[in-house]
Amino acid sequence: MSNVRHFLDVDRLDSQTLRRILDRAVAIKAAFKKDRNAHADLLAGQTLALIFEKPSTRTRVSFEVGMRQLGGNVVVLKPDDMQLGRGETIGDTARVLSRFVDAVMVRTTGEERVHELAAHASIPIINGLTDQTHPCQIMADVMTFEEHRGPINGRVVAWTGDCNNVAVSWAHAAVRFDFEFRLACPARYGVPQALLDWAKAEGTGRLVVTDRPEEAVRGAECVITDAWASMHNTDVDERAAILTPYQVNEALMDRAHPDALFMHCLPAHRGEEVTDGVIDGRHSVVWDEAENRLHAQKAILAWCMGAKA
């Protein structure tokens, strides 16, 4: 159905819609801090299905707790619990769930699985993570930046590591929220040309690509990294060898803006992509970032499900 509000990827929504969701996330968080029951009936009577084809800590807890704090119900489904894991098509699963629940969040492998669910569902589908993108995380990240430093428009954000799903969603955000995003990635795990072409065609934001972390972080107002191996990667040792020069340590942070923020979507592998001194240091906002998954996703749920303020 064309009027269904899916949250599939940051690049699939316009800037105004994304800004409205973020503004609502800020309002939801502020109200929650004053009164934990401030929005306790916003999604009363609604049910969210959570499909996990990949393990999860933050996504599972933040969506389940968030939905319950809005007064809704949650059903958690894993591959062994579903006929989807026994040969039922994605389309048929989407049609059936559309008769039972009011929205679905899915954390899976290829993004095509999320898009196929959306194509056959008559209820909102939310991308909780794929191998290609992680849009809910980036909404929380932009919220965190603005919480600490004000509007992200026109700012400089730096990434160091491989161009993984989080980096791709940050690139989408750079275009939609109009800021400069510098990616320091080794050639082996570099930025896809299709992503650069899309950003250029959109005409807003700016992607800068280098293979030198020192160049990327120079003067940056936020420095971000992620684990060197994602759940679907099998070349763990090779990746570690190639990505070691991309570690975020104190020396690298010293090249950023003096008040730069450090972000990491977690879980972190301390001593690999980031040192203890950085993740526990004065630049780090990783715990605020993790908390904001809860509030950003409550706003996403409210938008998808058409909840009024």
Side-chain angles (χ1 to χ4, degrees), residues 4 41 66 85 87 97 106 119 179 189 224 234-235 261 265-266 275 279 290:
V4 177
D41 60 353
L97 289 177
V106 57
F179 59 88
Y189 308 118
I224 317 161
T234 56
D235 55 339
L261 304 176
C265 68
L266 304 176
T275 61
I279 198 169

Side-chain angles (χ1 to χ4, degrees), residues 245-257:
Y246 293 80
Q247 181 190 69
V248 180
N249 50 39
E250 292 86 335
L252 189 67
M253 285 302 302
D254 284 345
R255 294 175 178 267
H257 189 281

Side-chain angles (χ1 to χ4, degrees), residues 59-168:
T59 300
R60 164 72 187 270
V61 175
S62 57
F63 266 109
E64 184 164 356
V65 170
M67 187 64 179
R68 294 190 188 283
Q69 287 179 352
L70 297 178
N73 304 303
V74 178
V75 176
V76 179
L77 300 168
K78 296 182 180 180
D80 289 345
D81 301 328
M82 304 175 63
Q83 293 299 329
L84 183 61
R86 298 179 176 88
E88 184 173 43
T89 68
I90 294 174
D92 286 352
T93 297
R95 294 180 183 98
V96 170
L97 289 177
S98 295
R99 302 296 181 99
F100 293 155
V101 301
D102 301 285
V104 174
M105 187 290 304
V106 57
R107 182 178 174 94
T108 186
T109 53
E111 63 180 5
E112 68 280 355
R113 294 176 68 78
V114 178
H115 297 161
E116 189 173 352
L117 270 173
H120 294 93
S122 56
I123 57 174
I125 305 297
I126 299 170
N127 176 359
L129 172 143
T130 69
D131 293 345
Q132 289 76 35
T133 58
H134 200 353
C136 291
Q137 178 67 55
I138 268 52
M139 293 294 281
D141 291 355
V142 173
M143 179 181 176
T144 304
F145 181 95
E146 296 193 334
E147 208 170 57
H148 287 269
R149 295 291 182 265
I152 200 168
N153 174 273
R155 303 299 190 94
V156 176
V157 175
W159 173 275
T160 175
D162 65 321
C163 188
N164 67 3
N165 54 355
V166 179
V168 169

Side-chain angles (χ1 to χ4, degrees), residues 19-69:
R19 175 50 63 189
R20 285 196 296 272
I21 293 172
L22 277 186
D23 288 347
R24 191 165 197 181
V26 171
I28 285 173
K29 181 176 181 178
F32 181 78
K33 294 298 183 181
K34 292 181 180 178
D35 177 5
R36 292 178 66 88
N37 295 313
H39 294 96
D41 60 353
L42 191 66
L43 295 180
Q46 307 277 339
T47 300
L48 171 69
L50 303 177
I51 299 177
F52 289 99
E53 296 185 322
K54 285 194 169 192
S56 169
T57 299
R58 278 149 292 276
T59 300
R60 164 72 187 270
V61 175
S62 57
F63 266 109
E64 184 164 356
V65 170
M67 187 64 179
R68 294 190 188 283
Q69 287 179 352

Side-chain angles (χ1 to χ4, degrees), residues 131-239:
D131 293 345
Q132 289 76 35
T133 58
H134 200 353
C136 291
Q137 178 67 55
I138 268 52
M139 293 294 281
D141 291 355
V142 173
M143 179 181 176
T144 304
F145 181 95
E146 296 193 334
E147 208 170 57
H148 287 269
R149 295 291 182 265
I152 200 168
N153 174 273
R155 303 299 190 94
V156 176
V157 175
W159 173 275
T160 175
D162 65 321
C163 188
N164 67 3
N165 54 355
V166 179
V168 169
S169 285
W170 263 106
H172 291 161
V175 171
R176 288 293 180 255
F177 293 104
D178 195 15
F179 59 88
E180 181 174 306
F181 186 49
R182 302 175 186 164
L183 298 105
C185 308
R188 177 68 179 272
Y189 308 118
V191 182
Q193 187 60 46
L195 180 61
L196 298 174
D197 292 343
W198 170 80
K200 183 177 181 180
E202 291 292 311
T204 53
R206 184 174 178 229
L207 302 188
V208 179
V209 179
T210 178
D211 62 358
R212 298 187 60 194
E214 297 82 2
E215 289 183 1
V217 307
R218 186 174 296 119
E221 295 159 279
C222 182
V223 177
I224 317 161
T225 193
D226 195 3
W228 290 337
S230 298
M231 286 176 277
H232 62 283
N233 297 133
T234 56
D235 55 339
V236 176
D237 292 340
E238 181 179 7
R239 295 176 71 85

